Amino acid sequence: MSITANEEFRPKIVAFCCNWCSYAGADLAGSSRLTYPADVKIIRVPCSCRVNPMFILRAFEKGADGVIMCGCHPGDCHYSTGNYYARRRMALLFSMLDYIGVEHGRTRVEWVSAAEGVKFSQTMNEFVAKITSLGKNVRLEDLRCRK
Amino acid sequence: MKSEKKQAEMIREISGVNPYKCMKCGKCSASCPSFNEMDIKPHQFVSYVLHEDIESLVKSESLWKCLSCFACVERCPRDVKPGKLIDAARQLVVRQRGETYLSPDEVPELLDPELPQQLLVSAFRRYRR
Amino acid sequence: MQRIGVFVCHCGSNIAATVDVKKVVEMARLEPGVVHAEDYQYMCSEVGQAKIAAAIHEKHLTGVVVCSCSPRMHEATFRKAAEKAGLNPYMVEIANIREHCSWIHKNIEEATEKAVILARAAIAKVNLNAPLKAGESRVTKRALVIGGGIAGIQTALDIADAGYEVDIVEKTPSIGGRMSQLDKTFPTLDCSACILTPKMVEASAHEKINIYTYSEVEKVTGFVGDFTVDIRKKARSVDMTKCTGCGVCQEKCPSKKAPSEFNRGLNNRSAIYTPFAQAIPNVPVIDREHCIKFKTGKCGLCEKVCQAGAIDYTQKDEIITEKYGAIVVATGFDTIKLDKYDEYAYSQSKDVITSLELERIMNAAGPTKGHLERLSDGKPPKNMVFIQCVGSRCSDNRGKSYCSKICCMYTAKHAMLIRDKYPDVNVTVFYIDVRTPGKNFDEFYRRAVEDYGVNYIKGQVGKVAPQPNGQLLVQGVDLIDNKQILMEADMVVLATAIEPDPSVRKIATMLTASIDTNNFLTEAHAKLRPVESPTAGVFLSGVCQGPKDIPETVAQAGAAAVKAIGLLAKDKLMTNPCTAKSDELLCNGCSQCANVCPYGAISYETKLINDHGIREERRVAVVNNALCQGCGACTVTCPSGAMDLQGFSNRQILAEVDAICR
Amino acid sequence: MQEIINRAKELLADGTVARVLGWRIGDLPYNPEPSYFETAEDLEKNFVYDGFCGANLSKYMIEGSKLEGKTLVFLKPCDTYSFNQLIKENRVDREKAYIIGVGCKGKLDVEKIKAQGIKGILSISGAEIEGDAETLTVNTLYGDKTVAYKDAMLERCHVCKGKEHMIFDEEIGESKDTKDADRFAEVEKIEAMKPEEKFAYFQKELSKCIRCNACRNVCPACSCRKCVFDSTKFDSAQKANADSFEEKMFHIIRAFHVAGRCTDCGECSRVCPQGIPLHLFNRKFIKDIDEFYGDYQAGADAESKGPLTSFTFGDVEPGVTGGRR
């Protein structure tokens, strides 16, 4: 991890957003013109419980520097229980990533409702800042994937 | 002398107030205990800053009639806080006169046990920026 | 290999101002599978849609990517357009380059780069899309209306008149809602009860309408066309089939200290009560908290005096389970709490009241029998002050950011009625703006000023201070005269902001209907679908969606009814084809997926499987497409990857990930 | 051992079972292999059950369940957890198995013997199931050597789950309490490291991985008909190991797939030809599950819902938990 490169370092960030709350929250951030860095790219999934740990590892493998998953607040899941399962899965996955020495903070889960455009943009701003401070992901990247 | 525009910006910066949020309800003036002694009324502070007429604001009676009771700050429904605007204008004047203001670590030395607590608090309110 | 067409929308300048759309087109052309790319001003317009159709025909497209606004906005539009042109609608994907890109980024270079990447991800996904076919599900021809106020009553009447069964669930003992508490209505000043009561009677007499009062929705499962709802009928302690509504029990009840909800707590009612004389049903309930029989076991007077033998202390809450095709939410509003507005002395003086309390005071059936008098000493007031926008239009954390919309009109009404009935009372209104859009509304307000001599002052009140002599000292400002005003008043009326009834939060959660920061239910589209919730099969009626006066509420109630009728009129609904699908060859039959399925959509069958020449009986998962809602919980639980979600398959999502990280 | 063989012969003879699933003498004194036996002669001649019979036979019952008639299977106490888990997941047919729970005195790891500088092993005595030998006598090309039994035991036996069989039709033989270490001590040691150290540790261990898939093939939880890593559906089909990421991804996902289902039988570490302590992944998940959601032992029964297919409203938030150092 070079510190000097940090100045021009623009992180690659993948955000998985559930269709019903968080994706709508991101839409609201958009229609409220609440800015966050362009480094965040959103992938729409029906529910946070659709997010396979494999997707997250794959993103890192391909050179993502941070992965964030957003879903409805616990209790508000459009499918009633999806985010509860997602919460357990991610709790274990994140703990494992921590365990194998991936910098803490490269992954994050945030519950964002359709009304929380402000929270969405704040979360993304924070997350981008965090990833920028952590620098390039080198611990999980498959170097063959680097261009 | 800096331009009026600069000064208006300074006031906004010092006060942290966005005068565009004002909806001209007048609750500040309705709350003000010094209203009758003021030539420029609290609700008008906002327009003076918006119109960048800082000269008039600085020269006004009101500048020194405001008691910093902050009733207007408390009650403003739009978070515009005219009291902070006039406070900032006073700051501007103080700074232009070249008077230095205290840094927090100088304060303990100057403390006098006779000094009423309220004065300290109000001084802090006024000069903390 | 797919043949993909990419269509980049300018959205006027919404996208084109920040995203170099030509560049996006150019870059999209380089992506695998792309055989066509173009941009256009408004892709969602007829011309734009025609361009997509033309390209599908001419270039024999098998997939379409539209780079435009959020898929939540126009995915359906573009899918329909593609379908019309002969393409499977599920071969269309949207790259959201407006809400997620052009609207939030300022730097053109950055925004364009991001738009290119988002387009790339959508193209990568479409490359793996497969045509999907929607299934069908049945529609239960019955509607549920939650809330029995004017909105709910009107919706129910309209739906019932169209020939469908409707159930109204009302949490209080009677239907009627807020409107039943009002005295007169603007702008015609006709009496509220006179126009509402006939509707209440009509609803209760309607053969297609079934009313559950003193009941609450407990649980909602299912989906559009096929909801299953548990309704809790709270124990009324009075047998509805026997009660004749004679009212003797209420008269004789010795416990008369319960604050009357109907009169906003301004006076008391008995423990056995009907909220008001015209209540429907005219059957009392026993408020068990205040009933002596329930508190001590003694008393039982009502039972003794009831000649019909209707009193039943042993009654229990009852759960009714019913199926509905459509649900209309009409939960209405309440006024906000004023504990954060100490400067108006609401909690300090009985003579500072809310407008809704004034309605009760003015009403002949109210706590003062319709006489305008001070609640502190019963004296008639000489000077009255109305304060507008109390808690409305606030961007601090004390009040609501929105305009409550109805206050300007009802204050003009109150002022006028008072000046009419008590010409010697001086009425002063402090206002910020007088907002009276509406037919005959401004004329109405002007009459208050011009014909009735109401003193309107542009300016706010800073403080109301109760004086030792019982007077209220009002300190306000007249912004036109640029003068501060100090005046004494006998009564102060606060135009208190309204907010959605607190019960709506729980209901919204049960319905998985979205709600905004102010607890108003969100409409599917702010302009184009104002009476529908984004959750299919759920419709919005009245103030639960946003502040409204009575005519607007009735209009919206009708609109919601029409939408519900439109749904109920269908025999079958097309279901979402983006459901889970199990690959028989990979399935272990381990049952883990069924454990996490919230819809019970997964079952297991023992099937003869031919796995590359190995024929054997295997236990494999089977998904019921009518039940599956496509959440994907099963897909992640499945260790072998046999379970996949159509439309959001593992490979599709991984392709998006790869495209973004490329 | 003879008691076991005799009972097996009886059950074969009276037709209770059609075959016996046990361990067959290998070409070396320490490598018996899982095998079916269908005749008394074969059993008498080639069946073995000693300290080197670490192999967990429960997974073989997936195929065994498909065969005609019942299969007699020998399960050690720890193997029965796996069997239960397989019943829960409908992978084995209880009716097709006749389970004899055999006693266990701790299983041996020849690598641990070799690690003590012992080469050219000709035979080993003291590994027999009978008797209570505290030491092993290793006859080598270079003469006899002795090793304490405990020092040659597999890691998993030092953290043994207990002497009880969770499921069986009958039991033969005594088991010994071999637990003398804390199950999570190693995991805790790693958790206490700095991120760089953790990363270096796993980098070093995992870079040894040759993706032979032995861990996957032996694992009773990894019983998928087709592994996602061999499937085209995830675009994750095996690639040459050119880089360290591949095995991280593989081992994390493998551990995740068995999380809440892994009984901690330790077979993965036992069979790894590169000696990677693979159980440390699974045990981390087990530890987290215990801490986050309450103690859970997969395979303790054949009915309960696993921790990843259930939840509570107040579960810990992801990331918050990851913050523990």
Side-chain angles (χ1 to χ4, degrees):
Chain A
M1 246 178 316
S2 73
I3 299 150
T4 48
N6 258 5
E7 243 170 329
E8 317 104 59
F9 172 61
R10 293 300 298 259
K12 274 186 197 166
I13 289 169
V14 178
F16 291 99
C17 290
C18 83
N19 181 46
W20 305 95
C21 290
S22 309
Y23 196 90
D27 280 358
L28 182 59
S31 45
S32 317
R33 312 298 197 271
L34 300 165
T35 61
Y36 53 87
D39 311 320
V40 178
K41 314 288 190 301
I42 296 169
I43 294 180
R44 183 165 71 130
V45 286
C47 175
S48 52
C49 69
R50 179 66 189 93
V51 180
N52 196 313
M54 185 86 118
F55 301 162
I56 292 173
L57 294 183
R58 172 70 156 253
F60 284 127
E61 177 186 13
K62 300 287 180 179
D65 301 299
V67 179
I68 181 165
M69 185 189 90
C70 300
C72 309
H73 285 266
D76 292 350
C77 177
H78 179 80
Y79 305 100
S80 34
T81 53
N83 50 8
Y84 289 119
Y85 296 116
R87 182 162 66 178
R88 285 205 166 184
R89 291 167 188 159
M90 294 305 138
L92 289 183
L93 179 71
F94 291 5
S95 180
M96 177 57 83
L97 292 177
D98 215 39
Y99 181 68
I100 66 160
V102 176
E103 304 92 334
H104 182 59
R106 280 217 190 271
T107 48
R108 178 165 170 178
V109 165
E110 200 62 58
W111 312 118
V112 180
S113 81
E116 293 175 326
V118 176
K119 182 176 179 186
F120 187 87
S121 105
Q122 273 172 1
T123 302
M124 291 307 153
N125 279 311
E126 276 171 36
F127 191 61
V128 171
K130 174 75 189 174
I131 299 302
T132 310
S133 75
L134 287 174
K136 181 113 198 75
N137 155 41
V138 287
R139 294 195 178 163
L140 281 179
E141 190 189 14
D142 184 342
L143 295 175
R144 291 167 305 171
C145 296
R146 198 185 274 178
K147 264 196 190 161
Chain B
M1 189 71 172
K2 289 172 200 156
S3 74
E4 296 267 320
K5 196 179 172 70
K6 263 261 171 68
Q7 289 188 327
E9 267 171 31
M10 281 282 279
I11 288 191
R12 284 208 224 172
E13 195 194 310
I14 296 170
S15 63
V17 161
N18 174 8
Y20 283 109
K21 289 190 79 180
C22 176
M23 63 171 172
K24 302 182 173 28
C25 71
K27 200 166 177 182
C28 43
S29 285
S31 302
C32 184
S34 306
F35 182 90
N36 290 329
E37 284 135 68
M38 290 188 175
D39 46 357
I40 297 174
K41 308 299 186 189
H43 67 275
Q44 295 172 305
F45 298 167
V46 180
S47 0
Y48 278 85
V49 176
L50 277 178
H51 299 144
E52 291 163 1
D53 184 4
I54 308 304
E55 198 61 37
S56 309
L57 202 56
V58 164
K59 284 187 180 150
S60 71
E61 287 285 315
S62 303
L63 193 66
W64 308 106
K65 293 292 181 192
C66 168
L67 302 170
S68 293
C69 75
F70 285 179
C72 53
V73 172
E74 277 301 304
R75 291 176 197 163
C76 175
R78 304 290 303 169
D79 261 351
V80 178
K81 305 170 180 173
K84 288 203 168 179
L85 285 179
I86 203 73
D87 208 37
R90 274 193 299 246
Q91 277 287 331
L92 212 62
V93 174
V94 171
R95 288 187 196 181
Q96 274 169 6
R97 283 183 193 159
E99 285 173 28
T100 50
Y101 44 101
L102 297 178
S103 76
D105 42 312
E106 291 172 293
V107 175
E109 258 180 66
L110 301 170
L111 284 185
D112 179 344
E114 300 292 306
L115 226 50
Q117 187 79 17
Q118 212 161 1
L119 182 73
L120 275 176
V121 174
S122 112
F124 257 111
R125 262 189 191 168
R126 203 173 284 187
Y127 296 116
R128 67 177 166 181
R129 281 178 194 277
Chain C
M1 193 66 173
Q2 306 274 20
R3 295 178 57 81
I4 299 168
V6 179
F7 302 87
V8 185
C9 180
H10 298 208
C11 196
S13 64
N14 277 312
I15 292 169
T18 354
V19 169
D20 179 351
V21 286
K22 299 283 178 201
K23 179 86 188 283
V24 178
V25 168
E26 191 187 307
M27 296 301 285
R29 285 213 175 94
L30 305 175
E31 291 299 310
V34 175
V35 294
H36 176 84
E38 65 176 308
D39 59 290
Y40 181 64
Q41 207 89 40
Y42 292 105
M43 224 68 221
C44 59
S45 68
E46 193 139 338
V47 184
Q49 293 185 38
K51 280 176 180 289
I52 297 175
I56 290 172
H57 289 304
E58 285 161 22
K59 305 272 177 92
H60 308 291
L61 299 182
T62 61
V64 164
V65 168
V66 188
C67 305
S68 60
C69 53
S70 170
R72 289 172 60 89
M73 187 76 77
H74 275 312
E75 188 176 62
T77 312
F78 293 122
R79 285 190 164 164
K80 260 188 204 139
E83 193 175 18
K84 259 197 202 155
L87 189 67
N88 183 289
Y90 294 91
M91 297 305 292
V92 177
E93 291 291 338
I94 310 291
N96 184 346
I97 61 166
R98 195 179 75 175
E99 282 85 346
H100 292 187
C101 187
S102 71
W103 273 355
I104 45 169
H105 306 312
K106 298 205 170 75
N107 180 317
I108 294 182
E109 204 177 307
E110 263 181 44
T112 306
E113 194 193 333
K114 178 166 173 181
V116 168
I117 293 173
L118 293 177
R120 196 189 276 164
I123 294 164
K125 187 176 181 193
V126 171
N127 259 312
L128 297 167
N129 274 23
L132 299 175
K133 200 171 170 299
E136 287 175 342
S137 71
R138 68 194 184 92
V139 178
T140 306
K141 309 244 169 209
R142 189 183 189 96
L144 170 67
V145 175
I146 306 173
I150 181 61
I153 292 171
Q154 187 62 49
T155 303
L157 282 172
D158 289 348
I159 296 174
D161 282 344
Y164 298 102
E165 299 279 340
V166 189
D167 291 353
I168 299 177
V169 171
E170 165 59 44
K171 67 176 185 222
T172 70
S174 169
I175 57 168
R178 293 277 166 246
M179 189 175 169
S180 65
Q181 292 176 292
L182 306 184
D183 182 41
K184 300 275 191 317
T185 53
F186 60 77
T188 47
L189 294 182
D190 35 10
C191 122
S192 182
C194 309
I195 53 177
L196 175 66
T197 323
K199 281 212 180 280
M200 290 164 60
V201 173
E202 195 188 340
S204 79
H206 205 294
E207 56 168 1
K208 296 275 184 192
I209 299 180
N210 180 22
I211 301 172
Y212 296 110
T213 50
Y214 209 47
S215 302
E216 283 176 37
V217 172
E218 183 105 339
K219 190 178 156 206
V220 180
T221 54
F223 46 91
V224 54
D226 194 16
F227 293 104
T228 305
V229 180
D230 285 0
I231 298 163
R232 175 179 292 273
K233 269 184 85 176
K234 289 178 279 185
R236 215 175 177 103
S237 313
V238 176
D239 188 335
M240 289 188 71
T241 58
K242 292 182 186 161
C243 174
T244 59
C246 68
V248 176
C249 53
Q250 303 183 52
E251 253 169 59
K252 299 285 184 202
C253 177
S255 168
K256 290 208 158 55
K257 288 279 166 61
S260 158
E261 294 86 357
F262 188 72
N263 283 329
R264 305 296 289 178
L266 298 180
N267 67 351
N268 293 334
R269 57 158 170 81
S270 46
I272 183 164
Y273 72 105
T274 45
F276 54 104
Q278 299 79 19
I280 283 182
N282 186 18
V283 175
V285 299
I286 295 180
D287 167 2
R288 295 187 173 185
E289 247 176 69
H290 289 93
C291 171
I292 298 167
K293 174 82 180 172
F294 279 99
K295 282 200 296 191
T296 67
K298 295 183 189 111
C299 189
L301 204 59
C302 48
E303 191 178 26
K304 280 176 209 128
V305 299
C306 181
Q307 295 195 332
I311 308 291
D312 178 2
Y313 299 121
T314 62
Q315 231 179 46
K316 287 201 171 64
D317 286 10
E318 193 186 332
I319 304 282
I320 295 163
T321 305
E322 190 69 70
K323 282 190 163 281
Y324 299 101
I327 298 178
V328 183
V329 187
T331 46
F333 70 96
D334 203 344
T335 53
I336 63 162
K337 290 208 168 62
L338 288 170
D339 43 7
K340 286 181 184 160
Y341 287 91
D342 247 5
E343 66 259 37
Y344 295 131
Y346 177 75
S347 60
Q348 298 153 44
S349 169
K350 277 187 149 181
D351 300 324
V352 180
I353 56 174
T354 68
S355 300
L356 192 52
E357 288 163 5
L358 183 65
E359 292 283 350
R360 294 314 306 146
I361 291 172
M362 304 276 283
N363 188 278
T368 61
K369 308 264 181 296
H371 300 297
L372 182 62
E373 58 190 48
R374 283 155 53 101
L375 293 173
S376 59
D377 52 14
K379 286 185 189 151
K382 287 290 289 176
N383 296 297
M384 289 190 70
V385 167
F386 286 80
I387 304 174
Q388 298 304 96
C389 297
V390 176
S392 298
R393 306 170 67 192
C394 290
S395 60
D396 56 8
N397 54 12
R398 298 196 295 169
K400 303 290 175 185
S401 58
Y402 50 86
C403 166
S404 295
K405 199 173 188 178
I406 53 175
C407 325
C408 286
M409 283 301 285
Y410 70 58
T411 297
K413 172 188 78 178
H414 289 152
M416 215 184 288
L417 288 169
I418 291 168
R419 293 283 298 162
D420 187 48
K421 213 168 162 191
Y422 310 96
D424 53 339
V425 176
N426 298 312
V427 177
T428 306
V429 179
F430 283 92
Y431 71 95
I432 304 173
D433 301 290
V434 176
R435 296 180 164 178
T436 52
K439 193 169 160 188
N440 295 326
F441 279 17
D442 204 62
E443 295 89 326
F444 181 80
Y445 148 63
R446 289 313 306 168
R447 259 164 64 208
V449 179
E450 292 164 27
D451 300 350
Y452 289 88
V454 179
N455 182 22
Y456 270 79
I457 296 176
K458 177 164 172 59
Q460 257 297 18
V461 168
K463 193 168 173 62
V464 176
Q467 302 297 104
N469 64 0
Q471 292 282 292
L472 298 161
L473 187 65
V474 177
Q475 184 189 5
V477 68
D478 185 333
L479 292 175
I480 307 297
D481 286 358
N482 208 8
K483 276 192 186 129
Q484 203 172 54
I485 295 172
L486 269 179
M487 61 190 294
E488 291 206 323
D490 303 292
M491 282 175 89
V492 170
V493 183
L494 307 177
T496 312
I498 58 172
E499 63 179 354
D501 191 272
S503 63
V504 77
R505 264 205 90 85
K506 206 177 125 202
I507 287 166
T509 306
M510 285 191 277
L511 294 170
T512 66
S514 39
I515 210 166
D516 69 15
T517 40
N518 291 313
N519 284 355
F520 286 116
L521 284 159
T522 318
E523 54 283 352
H525 189 288
K527 283 143 281 184
L528 305 178
R529 298 172 67 194
V531 301
E532 293 158 83
S533 158
T535 304
V538 175
F539 305 97
L540 315 174
S541 175
V543 183
C544 65
Q545 179 260 342
K548 275 174 202 69
D549 60 20
I550 295 168
E552 280 177 324
T553 295
V554 171
Q556 203 205 16
V562 168
K563 289 287 175 189
I565 293 165
L567 167 60
L568 297 177
K570 289 178 185 158
D571 290 322
K572 275 180 177 164
L573 286 177
M574 301 304 264
T575 58
N576 167 22
C578 295
T579 52
K581 197 177 174 196
S582 169
D583 182 337
E584 291 179 345
L585 293 184
L586 297 180
C587 178
N588 297 328
C590 72
S591 288
Q592 294 204 86
C593 50
N595 279 341
V596 297
C597 178
Y599 306 103
I602 302 172
S603 57
Y604 292 86
E605 284 175 17
T606 306
K607 277 190 180 175
L608 187 69
I609 305 286
N610 184 348
D611 186 353
H612 300 90
I614 303 168
R615 284 170 166 275
E616 57 184 11
E617 295 236 317
R618 285 184 188 172
R619 181 179 193 271
V620 289
V622 180
V623 178
N624 179 339
N625 283 328
L627 294 177
C628 175
Q629 297 296 298
C631 67
C634 52
T635 60
V636 183
T637 302
C638 180
S640 67
M643 197 58 94
D644 210 346
L645 188 61
Q646 302 179 92
F648 292 94
S649 71
N650 292 325
R651 290 189 65 204
Q652 284 175 310
I653 297 175
L654 286 171
E656 286 181 88
V657 168
D658 291 0
I660 287 171
C661 297
R662 178 134 56 99
Chain D
M1 190 170 84
Q2 198 54 45
E3 190 189 356
I4 296 172
I5 294 172
N6 290 343
R7 183 65 185 136
K9 286 200 284 193
E10 267 172 51
L11 289 166
L12 261 183
D14 69 12
T16 310
V17 299
R19 69 198 67 75
V20 177
L21 178 53
W23 300 270
R24 183 180 292 275
I25 294 168
D27 49 359
L28 295 166
Y30 47 78
N31 69 345
E33 54 199 31
S35 176
Y36 285 121
F37 298 84
E38 288 180 350
T39 62
E41 298 72 47
D42 196 14
L43 275 168
E44 199 61 61
K45 204 172 144 208
N46 296 315
F47 182 91
V48 64
Y49 179 59
D50 64 12
F52 289 102
C53 293
N56 179 348
L57 300 180
S58 49
K59 188 177 184 182
Y60 297 91
M61 277 309 293
I62 296 175
E63 288 307 311
S65 296
K66 294 177 190 166
L67 301 174
E68 199 66 43
K70 275 198 179 193
T71 303
L72 166 61
V73 60
F74 295 104
L75 297 179
K76 303 185 292 293
C78 56
D79 302 340
T80 56
Y81 289 87
S82 307
F83 197 85
N84 253 346
Q85 187 65 26
L86 286 165
I87 294 177
K88 189 192 288 185
E89 294 170 10
N90 302 293
R91 304 291 283 132
V92 296
D93 186 348
R94 177 68 183 90
E95 298 308 313
K96 287 289 193 70
Y98 189 94
I99 302 169
I100 292 185
V102 289
C104 176
K105 296 180 171 171
K107 294 297 166 223
L108 299 165
D109 184 355
V110 74
E111 296 305 323
K112 287 209 171 163
I113 298 173
K114 288 180 181 170
Q116 303 198 11
I118 298 172
K119 289 182 214 159
I121 301 172
L122 297 171
S123 70
I124 300 169
S125 65
E128 301 79 16
I129 201 69
E130 297 81 10
D132 210 4
E134 294 281 333
T135 52
L136 295 170
T137 309
V138 187
N139 176 239
T140 75
L141 288 170
Y142 316 102
D144 283 359
K145 310 268 160 113
T146 57
V147 182
Y149 195 98
K150 271 215 144 125
D151 293 344
M153 239 165 29
L154 285 162
E155 188 279 339
R156 73 185 191 208
C157 298
H158 291 283
V159 297
C160 179
K161 283 191 283 287
K163 299 190 284 183
E164 306 301 320
H165 291 94
M166 294 293 116
I167 186 168
F168 58 87
D169 291 303
E170 58 183 271
E171 284 175 301
I172 296 178
E174 290 289 304
S175 289
K176 209 173 130 187
D177 204 356
T178 61
K179 186 176 183 331
D180 58 4
D182 175 18
R183 188 181 181 191
F184 297 120
E186 284 177 287
V187 173
E188 277 162 10
K189 213 174 100 192
I190 295 168
E191 283 175 343
M193 293 181 187
K194 292 201 191 83
E196 308 83 82
E197 293 168 347
K198 293 176 183 174
F199 184 73
Y201 174 78
F202 281 107
Q203 183 83 333
K204 182 175 132 269
E205 290 295 341
L206 290 179
S207 60
K208 292 190 241 163
C209 176
I210 52 170
R211 283 298 287 282
C212 67
N213 289 333
C215 50
R216 185 180 90 186
N217 295 344
V218 78
C219 175
C222 263
S223 62
C224 289
R225 295 183 204 283
K226 188 167 196 171
C227 176
V228 288
F229 282 94
D230 295 342
S231 158
T232 48
K233 283 191 140 192
F234 276 89
D235 292 344
S236 56
Q238 266 185 332
K239 290 178 258 179
N241 262 343
D243 193 87
S244 62
F245 183 80
E246 285 290 320
E247 51 272 6
K248 276 191 211 105
M249 173 106 158
F250 174 77
H251 289 294
I252 294 171
I253 291 293
R254 207 187 81 77
F256 195 86
H257 279 180
V258 301
R261 304 163 57 227
C262 168
T263 65
D264 201 7
C265 75
E267 286 285 89
C268 44
S269 292
R270 184 180 71 85
V271 301
C272 180
Q274 296 293 84
I276 304 170
L278 292 165
H279 63 278
L280 289 179
F281 285 102
N282 304 318
R283 223 172 264 171
K284 167 64 176 167
F285 276 142
I286 293 171
K287 180 170 179 281
D288 280 347
I289 287 168
D290 285 357
E291 277 173 17
F292 298 168
Y293 314 121
D295 286 350
Y296 181 83
Q297 172 61 55
D301 64 77
E303 295 84 31
S304 64
K305 269 192 178 187
L308 277 176
T309 53
S310 53
F311 61 86
T312 65
F313 297 126
D315 282 343
V316 283
E317 289 293 329
V320 177
T321 54
R324 289 170 311 123
R325 294 281 148 182

